[in-house]
Amino acid sequence: MKEIDTAEVFPTLRNISLSRRTFVACAAIAAAQAALVSAGCAPEVQPSGEGLASTAAFAPGTYTASAPGKKGPVTVEVRMSESAIESVEIVEFEDTERISAPARERVPQQIVELQSLNVDTVTGATLTSMAIIESVADCVNQANGDASALKKAASPEKSDETKEIQADLVVCGAGGAGMAAAVAAAQQGLDVVVFEKTAYAGGNALVSGGWLEVFEGVDDMKPDMTDGNRDMFHATLQKSLDNGVPKDFVDAVQADFDAYFAAGNTKVYDSMEYYALDYASRNGGPAKEYWLPYAHKVNDLNNWLFDQGYTVSGTLVGIVGFPWPRKAHAVDKENGEGFFSVFDNTVETQNLPITFLFETPVSELIVDGKAVVGASGQCADGTTYRVMADRGVILATGGYSGNPDLLKKYNEMWPWDESTVIPTTNSYGHTGDGHVLAEGLGAELKNMGRQMVFPIADSIDYSTETIVGNAGLGLFVNVNGERFINESLDRFALSAAVMKQPEEKLFIISDALNSGLVNGYNEQGYSADKLIEESKLFRADSIEELAQMIGADPSVLAKAVDDYNAIARGDVADTVFGRENMSEKDAIVEAPFYASPRTWAAHVTIGGVAVGPDYQALTADGAGIEGLYVVGECSDGNSGVSSMSTGLSCVNQMLA
């Protein structure tokens, strides 16, 4: 691979390079993110504009101020002399660590270097960037300075250069599927260039909850098998038969289940075959022909990640829409951070030949004849990169849940019209860019109407990480305090029900024993006290008091909890909603009691670019587009964290 001379491209740039690996970046990378997180591209600063800081006057001292970021306030501490902003330090923030890291690193540095508030925001971390700028502006005004003048001061000048790179493989997108593809290809000796729209690696995996689905080698992590689990297992098998799954396949799963417990096992049962039945019944599609091979790919991904040093701990759990307990978290890492910490370490310790072009969205697929031979994109600093690739291009640009126009265009499921505001759980950038690029070359888009809505997003910021309570097995009530749904249903049914509730809102009700809080923090590392302060959680010593906090009739909520507890204890069956998987641990009996306010938001898109078994993009007549491969949520039928398995599978087949 041709190395990029970053000293030539960006005279003020401090390049971060390990062996043959090159980062195109403008500023120091945050120490905790050193391997994969870049602060973006930036050229030499040319002072322009009016109100330069060199003419400013401040009351010397250290000042503190806060402004709202993506998920909470960002607090800065600014030290000023009579004529200069001497330092800007972030002292508190709540935004996602890896996503906000480039902004927290670059924006303060540029403010000090330029003596200006007219600095670029970081792609993918705009709200964090703006929060830092506004907080510093507040401090400037506190020091009797003129923040409005500094917002017109020096700004970076854009480049008009075009740089060309030769590589073996181009990967478009540094989310889960893209990083799996890039790392796997580099491990097998390919020189890889990764285009990434944002200033960091991770994509939606960073805000997904970070759950890994595991089948093998985790017996000590399995919970005990309950009667509720048995009921759900048998219900899934019956639904599979009703959906036309071949009886011999269903019978084989039943026989394996029976043999497992006949051997004396007491932990929850699972297998790749049962996974196939479970997911087909919840997501649609053929169990044996699609979901079983997919389960094997997920298992291959798990083994590959474990070989890289990825570790999981705790007890396997279910999550909303997928309540069977097979989900695991990385050790000591919230959300999807664990995946990318492993990728960081693998890239660095193995000196892998990967070049990351951050803040550089792909705008063109380069074609020679009918073959895709490279990609081109413009960096945030204005520099255009044209990368030619001998082995082709892998699109891993994610879905389009962040693009309301596309969601409405292809919608076949939801009660949306042109006036509907569609919130999303997604991180920045998931707007269907890869779909548009592939379609422009004749690729077929399939099943685009299959859009999965997340039924329990944060009702304020629409994130998935602030949940308190059992997301897969808890009690869901509406704003009136009424239970309204079988909480273990699939996400399509749950979301449709939430949309019909008053204010399109619900609360997850839990207690001291099943809130999921450990030492005051939820599974994703959020402080319960902080969530309460921000009205993202309510806590009370009685159900009646909790009802008053959420605006419900205390008697209505108390009855919902009492009825729910009777089902959980096994005193009565759930004759109203038909939920099978209940156990006494689900009962809500011990103070303090919690209500986590939630709503719906666009989450993943299941349809995408049609691909063959090797992930080559296909036209409507089934012909492959030479040199173009599509993985992850950009491809048809793949979504969620486990879709990173398609990146690994694509590369393994390409190089077999």
Side-chain angles (χ1 to χ4, degrees), residues 236-311:
T236 299
L237 265 58
Q238 184 58 54
K239 185 174 181 180
S240 298
L241 292 171
D242 294 342
N243 289 343
V245 177
K247 188 174 185 300
D248 61 344
F249 186 65
V250 176
D251 288 346
V253 175
Q254 179 68 67
D256 189 55
F257 177 90
D258 294 339
Y260 174 80
F261 290 107
N265 291 298
T266 60
K267 299 294 185 179
V268 72
Y269 167 83
D270 206 1
S271 69
M272 284 182 273
E273 289 75 15
Y274 179 59
Y275 174 97
L277 294 179
D278 188 18
Y279 270 60
S281 70
R282 292 176 174 277
N283 280 7
K288 188 173 183 180
E289 294 78 11
Y290 178 78
W291 286 109
L292 182 57
Y294 188 83
H296 282 278
K297 291 171 188 174
V298 172
N299 198 52
D300 290 342
L301 169 72
N302 296 347
N303 292 331
W304 181 68
L305 287 171
F306 295 151
D307 287 343
Q308 314 302 315
Y310 186 88
T311 53

Side-chain angles (χ1 to χ4, degrees), residues 95-110:
D95 295 347
T96 304
E97 171 68 32
R98 185 175 287 258
I99 292 176
S100 65
R104 291 184 285 109
E105 180 71 20
R106 186 202 305 176
V107 175
Q109 178 180 329
Q110 286 191 343

Side-chain angles (χ1 to χ4, degrees), residues 458-579:
D458 189 295
S459 62
I460 295 176
D461 65 25
Y462 306 111
S463 68
T464 64
E465 303 102 305
T466 58
I467 295 170
V468 171
N470 191 326
L473 298 170
L475 167 62
F476 295 177
V477 301
N478 61 22
V479 295
N480 298 326
E482 303 159 328
R483 187 177 179 221
F484 63 93
I485 191 72
N486 172 352
E487 298 87 354
S488 67
L489 292 180
D490 62 80
R491 290 181 178 179
F492 300 102
L494 289 169
S495 297
V498 172
M499 291 178 187
K500 294 178 181 178
Q501 300 310 303
E503 302 177 33
E504 300 184 36
K505 186 175 178 180
L506 75 147
F507 295 91
I508 303 175
I509 307 298
S510 61
D511 72 356
L513 302 178
N514 52 38
S515 66
L517 295 171
V518 178
N519 297 323
Y521 290 83
N522 76 351
E523 290 177 328
Q524 312 304 335
Y526 280 75
S527 162
D529 289 341
K530 194 70 174 177
L531 293 175
I532 291 168
E533 180 182 323
E534 296 170 357
S535 299
K536 295 179 179 179
L537 180 67
F538 299 92
R539 179 175 59 200
D541 290 328
S542 70
I543 293 296
E544 290 75 15
E545 181 186 359
L546 189 68
Q548 292 175 340
M549 288 181 173
I550 66 175
D553 184 322
S555 65
V556 172
L557 181 60
K559 183 178 187 307
V561 171
D562 288 343
D563 291 348
Y564 180 84
N565 287 346
I567 299 167
R569 290 192 299 265
D571 297 341
V572 297
D574 187 2
T575 57
V576 177
F577 299 109
R579 181 169 148 185

